Amino acid sequence: MTTRSEPGHGGPDPGLDAIMSERRHLINLAYRLLGSLTEAEDAVQETYTRWYAMSRQEQDAIESPGAWLTTVASRICLNVLGSARARRETYVGEWIPEPVPGRAEWISGRPGGAAVDPADRVTLDESVGLAFLVVLEAMTPAERVAFVLHDVFCHSFAEVAEIVGRTPAACRQLASSARRRVRAARPSATAAPRRTGVVSAFKEAWEAQDIDALIGLLDPDATAVADGGGLATTFLHPIEGGERIARAWTELARRRPADMTLLERTVNGQPGLVAQQNGVTVTVFAFEVAGDRITRIWVVRNPEKLRRWTTG
Protein backbone atom coordinates (compact mmCIF):
# COMPACT_ATOMS: atom_id res chain seq x y z
CA MET A 1 0.00 0.00 0.00
CA THR A 2 1.36 3.43 -0.90
CA THR A 3 1.77 5.87 1.96
CA ARG A 4 -0.52 8.84 1.50
CA SER A 5 -0.92 12.16 3.21
CA GLU A 6 -2.83 11.96 6.43
CA PRO A 7 -6.15 13.82 6.28
CA GLY A 8 -6.07 17.00 8.25
CA HIS A 9 -2.33 16.90 9.02
CA GLY A 10 -0.72 17.68 5.67
CA GLY A 11 2.17 15.21 6.00
CA PRO A 12 2.82 11.54 5.30
CA ASP A 13 1.48 9.07 7.80
CA PRO A 14 4.22 6.50 8.55
CA GLY A 15 1.77 4.37 10.50
CA LEU A 16 -0.78 4.05 7.70
CA ASP A 17 0.17 0.49 6.74
CA ALA A 18 -0.12 -0.69 10.34
CA ILE A 19 -3.49 1.01 10.78
CA MET A 20 -4.93 -0.21 7.48
CA SER A 21 -3.68 -3.75 8.14
CA GLU A 22 -6.45 -3.94 10.75
CA ARG A 23 -9.11 -3.50 8.07
CA ARG A 24 -9.72 -7.17 7.37
CA HIS A 25 -10.11 -7.93 11.08
CA LEU A 26 -12.56 -5.05 11.42
CA ILE A 27 -14.59 -6.14 8.37
CA ASN A 28 -14.80 -9.68 9.73
CA LEU A 29 -15.86 -8.43 13.16
CA ALA A 30 -18.43 -5.95 11.85
CA TYR A 31 -20.00 -8.47 9.43
CA ARG A 32 -20.52 -11.00 12.22
CA LEU A 33 -21.96 -8.30 14.45
CA LEU A 34 -24.30 -6.83 11.83
CA GLY A 35 -25.01 -9.60 9.29
CA SER A 36 -24.68 -7.03 6.50
CA LEU A 37 -21.57 -6.35 4.45
CA THR A 38 -22.82 -2.91 3.48
CA GLU A 39 -23.39 -1.92 7.10
CA ALA A 40 -20.09 -3.54 8.10
CA GLU A 41 -18.16 -1.51 5.53
CA ASP A 42 -19.91 1.68 6.68
CA ALA A 43 -19.03 0.92 10.31
CA VAL A 44 -15.37 0.32 9.43
CA GLN A 45 -15.25 3.49 7.34
CA GLU A 46 -16.66 5.46 10.27
CA THR A 47 -14.04 3.88 12.55
CA TYR A 48 -11.21 5.09 10.32
CA THR A 49 -12.83 8.51 10.00
CA ARG A 50 -12.72 8.86 13.77
CA TRP A 51 -9.08 7.74 13.87
CA TYR A 52 -8.02 10.36 11.34
CA ALA A 53 -10.13 13.05 13.03
CA MET A 54 -7.61 12.92 15.89
CA SER A 55 -4.37 14.86 15.91
CA ARG A 56 -1.07 13.02 15.39
CA GLN A 57 -0.32 13.63 19.08
CA GLU A 58 -3.61 12.01 20.11
CA GLN A 59 -2.94 9.04 17.85
CA ASP A 60 0.59 8.58 19.21
CA ALA A 61 -0.79 8.55 22.75
CA ILE A 62 -2.85 5.42 21.99
CA GLU A 63 -0.86 2.42 23.20
CA SER A 64 -2.57 -0.11 20.91
CA PRO A 65 -4.16 1.37 17.78
CA GLY A 66 -5.55 -2.06 16.82
CA ALA A 67 -7.37 -2.39 20.14
CA TRP A 68 -8.64 1.18 19.79
CA LEU A 69 -10.01 0.47 16.31
CA THR A 70 -11.69 -2.73 17.51
CA THR A 71 -13.30 -0.94 20.45
CA VAL A 72 -14.60 1.93 18.32
CA ALA A 73 -15.87 -0.37 15.55
CA SER A 74 -17.66 -2.57 18.10
CA ARG A 75 -19.35 0.43 19.71
CA ILE A 76 -20.46 1.70 16.31
CA CYS A 77 -21.89 -1.75 15.52
CA LEU A 78 -23.67 -1.84 18.87
CA ASN A 79 -25.39 1.44 18.00
CA VAL A 80 -26.24 0.21 14.50
CA LEU A 81 -27.76 -2.98 15.92
CA GLY A 82 -30.08 -0.93 18.11
CA SER A 83 -31.43 1.06 15.16
CA ALA A 84 -31.42 -1.97 12.84
CA ARG A 85 -33.97 -3.78 15.00
CA ALA A 86 -36.43 -0.93 14.42
CA ARG A 87 -35.67 -0.74 10.68
CA ARG A 88 -36.19 -4.48 10.21
CA GLU A 89 -39.66 -4.26 11.72
CA THR A 90 -40.69 -2.29 8.62
CA TYR A 91 -38.72 -4.47 6.18
CA VAL A 92 -40.83 -6.02 3.43
CA GLY A 93 -41.00 -9.76 4.16
CA GLU A 94 -38.34 -11.70 6.05
CA TRP A 95 -34.86 -10.26 6.68
CA ILE A 96 -31.98 -12.69 6.04
CA PRO A 97 -28.31 -11.82 6.67
CA GLU A 98 -26.41 -10.83 3.53
CA PRO A 99 -24.84 -13.98 2.00
CA VAL A 100 -21.17 -13.97 1.05
CA PRO A 101 -19.66 -16.00 -1.80
CA GLY A 102 -16.62 -18.23 -1.85
CA ARG A 103 -13.27 -16.56 -2.42
CA ALA A 104 -13.21 -17.26 -6.15
CA GLU A 105 -16.69 -15.81 -6.62
CA TRP A 106 -16.23 -12.55 -4.76
CA ILE A 107 -16.52 -9.20 -6.55
CA SER A 108 -16.57 -5.72 -5.10
CA GLY A 109 -20.25 -4.89 -5.43
CA ARG A 110 -19.25 -1.54 -6.92
CA PRO A 111 -20.13 -0.52 -10.50
CA GLY A 112 -18.13 -2.60 -12.96
CA GLY A 113 -17.81 -5.59 -10.65
CA ALA A 114 -14.07 -5.24 -10.07
CA ALA A 115 -12.20 -7.80 -7.98
CA VAL A 116 -12.40 -6.97 -4.29
CA ASP A 117 -9.40 -6.07 -2.14
CA PRO A 118 -8.46 -9.15 -0.06
CA ALA A 119 -8.74 -6.94 3.05
CA ASP A 120 -12.47 -6.59 2.34
CA ARG A 121 -13.16 -10.30 2.11
CA VAL A 122 -14.87 -12.07 4.99
CA THR A 123 -13.03 -15.11 6.34
CA LEU A 124 -15.33 -18.10 5.87
CA ASP A 125 -15.59 -20.34 8.92
CA GLU A 126 -18.29 -21.73 11.21
CA SER A 127 -18.91 -18.31 12.76
CA VAL A 128 -20.05 -16.92 9.41
CA GLY A 129 -22.44 -19.71 8.40
CA LEU A 130 -25.88 -18.36 7.56
CA ALA A 131 -27.52 -20.59 10.17
CA PHE A 132 -25.20 -19.11 12.80
CA LEU A 133 -25.89 -15.54 11.69
CA VAL A 134 -29.64 -16.16 11.79
CA VAL A 135 -29.32 -17.24 15.43
CA LEU A 136 -27.33 -14.08 16.17
CA GLU A 137 -30.19 -12.04 14.72
CA ALA A 138 -32.48 -13.31 17.50
CA MET A 139 -30.17 -11.95 20.22
CA THR A 140 -30.28 -8.55 21.86
CA PRO A 141 -27.57 -6.16 20.61
CA ALA A 142 -25.64 -6.49 23.89
CA GLU A 143 -25.85 -10.31 23.80
CA ARG A 144 -24.64 -10.41 20.23
CA VAL A 145 -21.70 -8.09 20.81
CA ALA A 146 -20.64 -9.85 24.02
CA PHE A 147 -20.87 -13.30 22.45
CA VAL A 148 -19.10 -12.45 19.18
CA LEU A 149 -16.30 -10.52 20.87
CA HIS A 150 -15.67 -13.16 23.52
CA ASP A 151 -16.53 -16.51 21.92
CA VAL A 152 -15.55 -15.76 18.31
CA PHE A 153 -12.77 -13.18 18.63
CA CYS A 154 -11.48 -14.23 22.08
CA HIS A 155 -11.65 -10.86 23.83
CA SER A 156 -11.68 -10.90 27.63
CA PHE A 157 -14.87 -9.98 29.46
CA ALA A 158 -13.04 -6.94 30.83
CA GLU A 159 -12.51 -5.75 27.27
CA VAL A 160 -16.10 -6.58 26.32
CA ALA A 161 -17.36 -4.66 29.36
CA GLU A 162 -15.55 -1.53 28.23
CA ILE A 163 -17.28 -1.75 24.85
CA VAL A 164 -20.77 -2.73 25.99
CA GLY A 165 -20.81 -0.44 29.01
CA ARG A 166 -21.62 -3.16 31.54
CA THR A 167 -19.66 -5.01 34.19
CA PRO A 168 -17.51 -8.02 33.23
CA ALA A 169 -19.89 -10.24 35.23
CA ALA A 170 -22.88 -8.90 33.31
CA CYS A 171 -21.06 -9.48 30.00
CA ARG A 172 -20.28 -13.03 31.08
CA GLN A 173 -24.01 -13.58 31.63
CA LEU A 174 -24.83 -12.05 28.24
CA ALA A 175 -22.39 -14.36 26.47
CA SER A 176 -23.68 -17.36 28.42
CA SER A 177 -27.26 -16.59 27.41
CA ALA A 178 -26.19 -16.19 23.78
CA ARG A 179 -24.24 -19.45 23.93
CA ARG A 180 -27.36 -21.31 25.05
CA ARG A 181 -29.28 -19.90 22.09
CA VAL A 182 -26.58 -21.10 19.71
CA ARG A 183 -26.46 -24.60 21.22
CA ALA A 184 -30.26 -24.92 21.15
CA ALA A 185 -30.41 -23.95 17.48
CA ARG A 186 -27.42 -25.94 16.25
CA PRO A 187 -28.31 -29.18 14.42
CA SER A 188 -26.34 -32.35 14.85
CA ALA A 189 -23.01 -32.19 13.04
CA THR A 190 -23.05 -33.33 9.44
CA ALA A 191 -19.81 -34.01 7.57
CA ALA A 192 -19.04 -31.53 4.78
CA PRO A 193 -19.06 -34.15 1.97
CA ARG A 194 -22.48 -35.33 3.11
CA ARG A 195 -23.84 -31.76 3.16
CA THR A 196 -22.50 -31.25 -0.35
CA GLY A 197 -24.10 -34.49 -1.48
CA VAL A 198 -27.49 -33.56 -0.05
CA VAL A 199 -27.47 -30.14 -1.74
CA SER A 200 -26.36 -31.70 -5.04
CA ALA A 201 -29.15 -34.26 -4.82
CA PHE A 202 -31.63 -31.47 -4.06
CA LYS A 203 -30.52 -29.56 -7.15
CA GLU A 204 -30.85 -32.67 -9.32
CA ALA A 205 -34.33 -33.49 -7.96
CA TRP A 206 -35.43 -29.88 -8.32
CA GLU A 207 -34.32 -29.63 -11.95
CA ALA A 208 -36.02 -32.97 -12.68
CA GLN A 209 -39.19 -31.76 -10.91
CA ASP A 210 -39.09 -34.99 -8.92
CA ILE A 211 -41.36 -34.13 -6.03
CA ASP A 212 -40.94 -37.51 -4.30
CA ALA A 213 -37.15 -37.14 -4.31
CA LEU A 214 -37.46 -33.60 -2.96
CA ILE A 215 -39.72 -34.76 -0.14
CA GLY A 216 -37.19 -37.47 0.70
CA LEU A 217 -34.41 -34.89 0.98
CA LEU A 218 -36.38 -32.49 3.17
CA ASP A 219 -37.00 -32.91 6.88
CA PRO A 220 -40.77 -33.19 7.53
CA ASP A 221 -40.49 -30.07 9.72
CA ALA A 222 -38.25 -28.13 7.32
CA THR A 223 -38.72 -24.39 6.85
CA ALA A 224 -38.00 -22.20 3.83
CA VAL A 225 -37.57 -18.44 4.26
CA ALA A 226 -37.13 -15.88 1.48
CA ASP A 227 -35.79 -12.32 1.42
CA GLY A 228 -36.74 -10.09 -1.50
CA GLY A 229 -36.75 -6.86 0.48
CA GLY A 230 -39.64 -5.58 -1.62
CA LEU A 231 -37.24 -5.36 -4.57
CA ALA A 232 -37.66 -8.87 -6.00
CA THR A 233 -40.65 -11.21 -6.23
CA THR A 234 -40.66 -14.03 -3.70
CA PHE A 235 -42.86 -15.58 -1.02
CA LEU A 236 -43.36 -13.19 1.90
CA HIS A 237 -43.98 -15.71 4.65
CA PRO A 238 -41.99 -18.84 5.61
CA ILE A 239 -43.08 -22.14 4.07
CA GLU A 240 -43.41 -24.78 6.78
CA GLY A 241 -43.12 -28.52 6.18
CA GLY A 242 -41.05 -30.62 3.80
CA GLU A 243 -43.94 -31.61 1.54
CA ARG A 244 -45.14 -28.01 1.13
CA ILE A 245 -41.61 -26.88 0.32
CA ALA A 246 -41.21 -29.70 -2.23
CA ARG A 247 -44.43 -28.67 -3.97
CA ALA A 248 -43.40 -25.00 -3.97
CA TRP A 249 -39.98 -25.82 -5.43
CA THR A 250 -41.54 -28.06 -8.09
CA GLU A 251 -43.76 -25.15 -9.10
CA LEU A 252 -40.69 -22.89 -9.24
CA ALA A 253 -39.02 -25.40 -11.58
CA ARG A 254 -42.04 -25.33 -13.89
CA ARG A 255 -41.91 -21.53 -14.07
CA ARG A 256 -38.14 -21.30 -14.40
CA PRO A 257 -37.09 -19.03 -17.31
CA ALA A 258 -35.22 -20.74 -20.13
CA ASP A 259 -32.19 -18.50 -19.62
CA MET A 260 -31.83 -19.29 -15.92
CA THR A 261 -28.98 -21.54 -14.80
CA LEU A 262 -28.73 -23.24 -11.40
CA LEU A 263 -25.18 -23.62 -10.11
CA GLU A 264 -23.61 -25.25 -7.07
CA ARG A 265 -21.68 -22.63 -5.12
CA THR A 266 -20.29 -21.97 -1.67
CA VAL A 267 -22.57 -19.73 0.41
CA ASN A 268 -21.02 -18.42 3.64
CA GLY A 269 -18.59 -21.31 3.57
CA GLN A 270 -21.31 -23.96 3.16
CA PRO A 271 -22.69 -25.84 0.13
CA GLY A 272 -25.38 -23.78 -1.57
CA LEU A 273 -26.98 -22.98 -4.90
CA VAL A 274 -27.00 -19.88 -7.06
CA ALA A 275 -29.48 -19.00 -9.81
CA GLN A 276 -28.08 -16.89 -12.64
CA GLN A 277 -30.11 -15.28 -15.39
CA ASN A 278 -28.25 -14.01 -18.44
CA GLY A 279 -25.10 -14.57 -16.40
CA VAL A 280 -26.22 -12.36 -13.49
CA THR A 281 -26.81 -13.82 -10.02
CA VAL A 282 -30.48 -13.27 -9.14
CA THR A 283 -30.95 -15.71 -6.25
CA VAL A 284 -28.76 -17.34 -3.62
CA PHE A 285 -29.94 -20.45 -1.76
CA ALA A 286 -28.36 -21.43 1.55
CA PHE A 287 -29.12 -24.69 3.38
CA GLU A 288 -28.98 -26.17 6.84
CA VAL A 289 -28.47 -29.93 6.71
CA ALA A 290 -28.91 -32.35 9.60
CA GLY A 291 -27.98 -35.94 8.83
CA ASP A 292 -29.24 -36.66 5.32
CA ARG A 293 -32.03 -34.09 5.29
CA ILE A 294 -32.43 -30.38 4.73
CA THR A 295 -33.96 -28.62 7.72
CA ARG A 296 -33.74 -24.98 6.55
CA ILE A 297 -33.58 -23.18 3.23
CA TRP A 298 -32.78 -19.47 3.02
CA VAL A 299 -33.58 -17.77 -0.28
CA VAL A 300 -31.99 -14.36 -0.86
CA ARG A 301 -33.34 -12.39 -3.83
CA ASN A 302 -32.90 -8.83 -2.63
CA PRO A 303 -30.51 -7.46 -5.31
CA GLU A 304 -28.89 -5.14 -2.77
CA LYS A 305 -27.63 -8.25 -0.94
CA LEU A 306 -26.27 -9.90 -4.10
CA ARG A 307 -23.78 -7.22 -5.19
CA ARG A 308 -20.75 -9.31 -4.17
CA TRP A 309 -21.65 -12.27 -6.37
CA THR A 310 -20.01 -13.08 -9.70
CA THR A 311 -21.68 -11.89 -12.86
CA GLY A 312 -21.04 -13.43 -16.22
Side-chain angles (χ1 to χ4, degrees):
M1 180 180 294
T2 303
T3 301
R4 66 168 183 260
S5 294
E6 180 183 0
H9 302 296
D13 177 8
L16 177 62
D17 285 350
I19 291 299
M20 294 308 293
S21 69
E22 297 290 332
R23 180 173 176 82
R24 185 167 192 179
H25 165 72
L26 297 176
I27 288 287
N28 273 277
L29 172 65
Y31 175 65
R32 285 160 175 79
L33 288 176
L34 300 175
S36 164
L37 276 168
T38 301
E39 291 180 344
E41 289 173 344
D42 288 345
V44 172
Q45 182 61 40
E46 174 62 21
T47 301
Y48 280 112
T49 297
R50 294 186 188 185
W51 172 264
Y52 283 110
M54 295 188 295
S55 68
R56 178 68 60 78
Q57 185 177 14
E58 289 173 321
Q59 293 171 357
D60 290 343
I62 295 173
E63 183 177 347
S64 173
W68 186 94
L69 291 168
T70 295
T71 296
V72 172
S74 298
R75 286 174 177 165
I76 291 171
C77 289
L78 184 60
N79 291 334
V80 172
L81 283 171
S83 61
R85 291 171 77 87
R87 290 200 309 273
R88 287 166 194 170
E89 287 178 1
T90 61
Y91 192 81
V92 178
E94 299 289 326
W95 191 94
I96 297 173
E98 184 176 344
V100 294
R103 183 173 180 177
E105 300 293 316
W106 198 304
I107 58 174
S108 68
R110 293 185 290 270
V116 74
D117 187 322
D120 288 333
R121 291 198 192 106
V122 172
T123 302
L124 300 176
D125 59 25
E126 189 180 58
S127 70
V128 82
L130 212 61
F132 183 81
L133 293 176
V134 168
V135 176
L136 294 184
E137 281 296 313
M139 299 178 185
T140 67
E143 274 183 329
R144 185 167 184 167
V145 172
F147 175 75
V148 171
L149 284 172
H150 181 266
D151 284 45
V152 179
F153 288 92
C154 302
H155 287 274
S156 70
F157 283 119
E159 293 170 317
V160 176
E162 182 182 351
I163 292 168
V164 177
R166 306 194 186 190
T167 66
C171 291
R172 185 176 288 106
Q173 288 299 317
L174 287 170
S176 178
S177 173
R179 209 172 294 123
R180 286 194 295 271
R181 289 177 185 256
V182 171
R183 280 199 292 260
R186 182 171 292 169
S188 56
T190 303
R194 181 178 292 184
R195 290 197 302 268
T196 300
V198 170
V199 172
S200 296
F202 183 87
K203 173 181 179 289
E204 183 179 342
W206 183 12
E207 291 181 315
Q209 300 180 33
D210 187 339
I211 190 168
D212 291 332
L214 287 172
I215 291 172
L217 290 164
L218 290 158
D219 187 272
D221 297 321
T223 302
V225 180
D227 178 346
L231 301 174
T233 303
T234 191
F235 51 96
L236 290 176
H237 304 289
I239 301 175
E240 305 283 352
E243 185 170 342
R244 289 187 63 199
I245 293 171
R247 294 188 183 282
W249 255 247
T250 302
E251 184 61 26
L252 286 174
R254 292 195 188 104
R255 298 181 182 183
R256 174 178 158 187
D259 60 353
M260 182 173 287
T261 305
L262 199 60
L263 305 168
E264 294 183 43
R265 291 290 185 266
T266 297
V267 180
N268 286 58
Q270 304 293 327
L273 300 174
V274 166
Q276 290 189 347
Q277 195 165 3
N278 293 322
V280 177
T281 297
V282 293
T283 313
V284 170
F285 301 87
F287 300 84
E288 180 178 83
V289 178
D292 292 317
R293 297 222 173 166
I294 294 166
T295 56
R296 295 284 186 277
I297 303 176
W298 294 282
V299 183
V300 181
R301 301 206 72 233
N302 184 341
E304 293 184 349
K305 295 185 178 183
L306 301 178
R307 293 174 179 172
R308 303 311 195 285
W309 290 79
T310 299
T311 59

